[in-house]
Amino acid sequence: MRLRRTLFAIGSAGLAAAALTLPASSAGAATSVGCTGGGFKVTLPNGTAVRSGGDKIKPSQLPAGSTLKVRGKYVEFDVNVSTFAAYDYTLTGAPNPVDLTGGVRTPVFASKVADLGTRTLNSGELEIKLSDSDLVLLRKGAGELKMKIQAKDCATGGIFQMEPEGAGNVLVTHTLSPGMYYYVNPYTGKINFGNGTDFRGKDSPQVATKLSQTDTVTTWSVASGGRMGGVLGEDAVELSAGASNCVQDCQAQNRVRGSLPVTDPAFS
């Protein structure tokens, strides 16, 4: 399948003609405004909800292959407790000044799956940390195996990161939801994903190599301690140099010194 090269047809009217009615100036810079009122609730397989602070869940409470339900004001997704595969990553469309969805519930990723082979996380405790709009999930398996998910309940910006560790290079597969597709942004020359509106997203790798790309599926080889992140909105179209080669205590954001140009008219 050939990768789509534009978000939609580019004629004399260009991308701006099909833009949402949101003012361009409010369409999605990664500021604290995008996280206003955000905060996750994590529901365990037995129905118990963790809403704030930290908790450690024993393996006996986590049946193999069962699901954590992560629900926020702006973001929702599910996590397989045995592999930390994430499913049904969705923006709720909740009102926000920098909303990218036009107020419409918007599924973004059908799945983000790390292939751990025959290994699982079933032997380890699950650590949950919740603070304001931030979430950290961490679970260790046998030997050196460890998986971490960091997420933010925000309408835009850097809001998801998956980190495998102690498993050598791990194949991570991103599958977009129906209606979403990867495309080459004509204003930046870089690959974004979108749905034909002003919605913009981008995979954000760190110490990871892209192996394949189609309209809807991308595979990556992620080194131990690397990560596969995701950014939305203006952050997804900035002409940045990309992530550094960090493999220990990496953060979801990389510090920018000075300003970065934004050439996509949805945000400029």
Side-chain angles (χ1 to χ4, degrees), residues 88-90 106-111 175-181 216:
D88 300 322
Y89 187 95
T90 299
T106 303
V108 181
F109 282 94
S111 62
T175 303
L176 294 173
S177 297
M180 285 283 171
Y181 51 82
T216 58

Side-chain angles (χ1 to χ4, degrees), residues 69-152:
K69 295 186 180 297
V70 180
R71 300 293 182 265
K73 180 177 180 178
Y74 304 107
V75 173
E76 298 180 354
F77 59 96
D78 297 334
V79 176
N80 183 304
V81 300
S82 298
T83 64
F84 266 33
Y87 296 97
D88 300 322
Y89 187 95
T90 299
L91 296 184
T92 66
N96 187 280
V98 291
D99 170 58
L100 301 170
T101 70
V104 177
R105 183 177 179 83
T106 303
V108 181
F109 282 94
S111 62
K112 298 186 176 196
V113 178
D115 183 359
L116 303 180
T118 60
R119 296 163 294 188
T120 70
L121 304 169
N122 291 332
S123 61
E125 286 186 329
L126 168 69
E127 296 183 36
I128 302 174
K129 297 179 181 179
L130 294 163
S131 175
D132 298 322
S133 62
D134 296 327
L135 164 70
V136 177
L137 300 174
L138 176 66
R139 195 176 188 191
K140 299 178 181 179
E144 301 291 322
L145 179 62
K146 180 170 68 174
M147 289 289 293
K148 180 192 289 186
I149 287 176
Q150 298 183 74
K152 295 182 74 69

Side-chain angles (χ1 to χ4, degrees), residues 144 163-170 207 222-227 246-248:
E144 301 291 322
E163 303 173 39
E165 189 172 328
N169 278 43
V170 172
V207 200
V222 183
S224 178
R227 66 102 194 267
C246 172
V247 294
Q248 186 173 1

Side-chain angles (χ1 to χ4, degrees), residues 109 112 150 158-163 174 193 202-206 220 227-231 252:
F109 282 94
K112 298 186 176 196
Q150 298 183 74
I159 59 177
F160 187 90
Q161 182 167 300
M162 177 184 287
E163 303 173 39
H174 285 181
F193 53 82
K202 181 171 71 70
D203 289 338
S204 178
Q206 191 164 33
W220 302 81
R227 66 102 194 267
M228 279 308 305
V231 296

Side-chain angles (χ1 to χ4, degrees), residues 13-28:
L15 287 174
L20 293 175
T21 56
L22 293 173
S25 61
S26 69

Side-chain angles (χ1 to χ4, degrees), residues 234-246:
E234 185 173 314
D235 288 9
V237 298
E238 285 180 336
L239 298 180
S240 63
S244 61
N245 287 327
C246 172

